[in-house]
Amino acid sequence: AKRFGEEEARNFARILRKVLLSDRTTTELLPGLDGFELRGQGGIANSSHLINSFRFDMRTGATSLRLPATWLSHGYQATLAWLADLIGHVLWEARSDGRHGTLDPHEIEGLVLIDELDLHLHPVWQVGLISTLKEILPRVQFIVTTHSPMLLTGLEADEIVVLAQDPERGDVVAEINPQTPKLQTAGELLERYFG
């Protein structure tokens, strides 16, 4: 298992905090997230300790409750997990060039593949998800799959590729729709992109 030293762990927490607690993230990506705590007495010994400890502050009306990750919805858990994993991998790779101490989320570059990005996310969250990711990680290219028309509303026409099977040859062909999904109705989105 990969482990960070004390300084790297602090950098991980700092970058994750910037990503998870940006204004856009707490309203669009993880609504209601007020804060989280990654350190504790003796540190975090294992992933079970991390997810079962009361570490995530969630806003409910005027109150904020501290909850363990296991009490959060699957959508929150999945989003927190892949974002933390992404940042962890970026920091792990940054060791080689000595930039891990100064890394900022806006400097992170890479290619991220995610299957079913919308899985377990409320439709309202799906609408702002793409634009939020573009803002908080502007130099990361995301290639994602989805079965949700709600995610498409945050994209331009040239950012969406529909893969379909050619009925005669059996080959997979890529199609790009010239019209932006922002100007299409829900029915048009479903028909055009999801058959």
Side-chain angles (χ1 to χ4, degrees), residues 139-151:
R139 298 173 74 173
V140 174
Q141 180 181 4
F142 290 93
I143 297 176
V144 304
T145 64
T146 186
H147 286 95
S148 171
M150 304 306 285
L151 280 185

Side-chain angles (χ1 to χ4, degrees), residues 4-103:
F4 288 134
E6 210 172 301
E7 181 184 343
E8 289 171 316
R10 277 194 299 273
N11 288 330
F12 173 78
R14 179 184 55 80
I15 294 168
L16 188 60
R17 185 167 270 100
K18 278 186 176 182
V19 168
L20 296 182
L21 298 179
S22 76
D23 289 339
R24 282 291 300 271
T25 303
T26 57
T27 57
E28 302 278 342
L29 187 59
L30 296 167
L33 183 66
D34 256 353
F36 60 92
E37 184 63 55
L38 289 180
R39 63 173 188 236
Q41 188 174 359
I44 296 169
N46 57 52
S47 59
S48 176
H49 185 233
L50 173 65
I51 64 171
N52 290 316
S53 299
F54 286 70
R55 296 182 178 277
F56 294 91
D57 299 326
M58 297 300 296
R59 213 175 30 257
T60 59
T63 325
S64 186
L65 301 173
R66 182 156 281 191
L67 307 170
T70 54
W71 288 14
L72 303 175
S73 74
H74 287 280
Y76 277 99
Q77 290 181 41
T79 303
L80 287 166
W82 76 258
L83 283 169
D85 190 51
L86 170 65
I87 291 165
H89 281 283
V90 167
L91 283 174
W92 193 258
E93 292 297 321
R95 283 179 165 183
S96 61
D97 65 11
R99 291 181 341 123
H100 63 276
T102 60
L103 198 60

